[in-house]
Amino acid sequence: MPTSSQAMPIRHYLQFTDLTADEYAHIFQRAASIKAKFKAYEKYQPLTDRTMAMIFEKASTRTRVSFEAGMYQMGGSVVHLTTGDSQLGRAEPIEDSARVISRMVDLVMIRTFGQDKIEKFAAYSRVPVINGLTNEFHPCQILADIFTYIEHRGSIQGKTVAWVGDGNNMANTWLQAADLLGFKVHLSTPSGYEVDPAVVGVRSPDSTQFFKDPMQACQGADLVTTDVWTSMGYEAENEARKKAFADWCVDEDMMKVAKPDALFMHCLPAHRGEEVSAEVIDGPQSVVWDEAENRMHVQKALMEFLVLGKV
Ligand code: CP
Ligand code: NVA
């Protein structure tokens, strides 16, 4: 089956740095066009008869629905696997799973724990592998976030994104994106929850500024964004995190010091009253529902690119 994808070198999307700035420009333009077709009820099925395996080792709402609906809309189909209902949960080696699964499908999306797992799967896969979230990165989400920014405000180049909260998979991916696409991140994380520069990789010194005080990080920002205090896989730290993160709640005071037209984003799911106040997430500067919807449109463009190349 995976025939035409075999003719091209395999491209994986395991972290934000796997595509170039030019390729991102292409994908954003394709996402806008694919979204317009969707809104006009116009059929667009470039992936007819293609199949994607979706492997989930952690829970998901948006990632599952956006990939699954997106693949069907493009004419393809999906196979949904979890640790509990496959041999993945019974310690079949990742290499063997990758060899087998990738002989039967055209694309694989994986949500798992360590980045090393997805890297290993990709190394043994005959078809492109997409990171649907690991402990270290969430590139599809940042792809959607930047597309959403562009839709609302135009190019993100030269702009300032304030990250308020955990130095987690989302923060790491924002930092990679800032380097690649030429914007700045103001990062404020509680002590002990900083990003690990070794995970993020080589960076230009100008693209990040660190702030102890989250209010200062938001000063003059074009976009303020945050995420849960406790990510999936870190639940045992929940109580300690609740204490450490108490001042890292994006509220109206933080939004007031950002630019007057600043946007608020959150990858969701959100906890109102923890990392964000209800007034902010449900307020006029919040674009979280567009952000969630755009997961589907950008991922359709990404899948099209990985399977068919630049169309
Ligand atoms: N934002 C995001 O990835 O959501 P899910 O965990 O619901 O997939
Ligand atoms: N940082 C969060 C994102 C959820 C979409 C997590 O990893 O749980």
Side-chain angles (χ1 to χ4, degrees):
M1 249 282 286
T3 46
S4 68
S5 47
Q6 289 302 296
M8 306 192 300
I10 302 171
R11 295 288 299 275
H12 300 297
Y13 192 56
L14 306 182
Q15 43 186 301
F16 203 84
T17 48
D18 284 340
L19 298 181
T20 65
D22 270 2
E23 287 166 341
Y24 279 112
H26 170 78
I27 285 175
F28 291 138
Q29 175 254 313
R30 291 297 304 145
S33 157
I34 290 169
K35 180 172 181 176
K37 288 189 209 303
F38 173 80
K39 295 289 177 188
Y41 297 97
E42 197 183 311
K43 230 183 208 182
Y44 180 60
Q45 304 200 315
L47 299 185
T48 299
D49 295 335
R50 306 301 182 121
T51 309
M52 176 166 68
M54 299 175 34
I55 301 171
F56 285 95
E57 298 201 298
K58 290 177 177 171
S60 168
T61 297
R62 281 143 289 270
T63 302
R64 178 168 181 187
V65 176
S66 56
F67 269 112
E68 196 159 328
M71 193 60 182
Y72 284 123
Q73 288 162 21
M74 289 201 296
S77 55
V78 300
V79 178
H80 181 257
L81 294 159
T82 67
T83 319
D85 64 13
S86 67
Q87 300 290 4
L88 293 160
R90 299 181 63 250
E92 180 167 11
I94 294 172
E95 300 89 314
D96 293 359
S97 302
R99 287 179 177 116
V100 170
I101 293 169
S102 71
R103 279 180 177 238
M104 302 180 202
V105 301
D106 303 272
L107 262 178
V108 179
M109 188 242 66
I110 305 179
R111 168 168 285 197
T112 188
F113 292 87
Q115 182 74 10
D116 57 320
K117 281 179 104 173
I118 197 169
E119 302 272 355
K120 190 182 266 184
F121 192 104
Y124 289 87
S125 173
R126 287 184 166 194
V127 300
V129 176
I130 299 174
N131 182 347
L133 181 145
T134 57
N135 290 347
E136 289 84 354
F137 299 114
H138 198 3
C140 293
Q141 183 67 54
I142 303 303
L143 190 61
D145 294 4
I146 294 173
F147 180 70
T148 306
Y149 187 86
I150 295 168
E151 274 192 329
H152 283 267
R153 296 284 184 264
S155 172
I156 198 164
Q157 204 172 3
K159 298 288 175 16
T160 298
V161 175
W163 176 264
V164 175
D166 195 12
N168 64 10
N169 43 11
M170 286 289 296
N172 290 337
T173 314
W174 270 116
L175 294 183
Q176 288 194 334
D179 262 2
L180 202 61
L181 302 182
F183 59 91
K184 195 162 187 164
V185 180
H186 282 185
L187 196 75
S188 180
T189 57
S191 157
Y193 298 94
E194 295 87 357
V195 293
D196 178 350
V199 170
V200 178
V202 179
R203 320 239 18 261
S204 95
D206 323 323
S207 58
T208 316
Q209 220 176 317
F210 299 93
F211 295 86
K212 275 210 164 78
D213 178 357
M215 280 290 271
Q216 276 179 15
C218 294
Q219 202 93 43
D222 298 281
L223 165 63
V224 178
T225 185
T226 185
D227 189 9
V228 289
W229 289 344
T230 305
S231 286
M232 291 180 279
Y234 297 85
E235 289 80 2
E237 301 172 13
N238 202 22
E239 285 315 306
R241 284 172 172 265
K242 277 190 171 164
K243 288 192 190 99
F245 282 78
D247 293 334
W248 276 260
C249 172
V250 178
D251 57 15
E252 284 174 308
D253 289 340
M254 282 194 201
M255 292 306 294
K256 268 189 206 129
V257 299
K259 291 230 177 88
D261 69 343
L263 298 176
F264 172 77
M265 290 191 196
H266 189 310
C267 64
L268 306 175
H271 298 87
R272 288 168 177 78
E274 291 191 4
E275 74 275 5
V276 61
S277 70
E279 290 74 21
V280 169
I281 195 168
D282 299 318
Q285 287 166 282
S286 171
V287 290
V288 296
W289 314 122
D290 289 346
E291 188 187 353
E293 178 191 327
N294 282 335
R295 285 290 300 277
M296 184 174 81
H297 306 305
V298 295
Q299 287 163 194
K300 285 166 85 174
L302 175 70
M303 293 190 283
E304 178 191 71
F305 176 74
L306 294 177
V307 177
L308 301 175
K310 276 191 181 175
V311 298

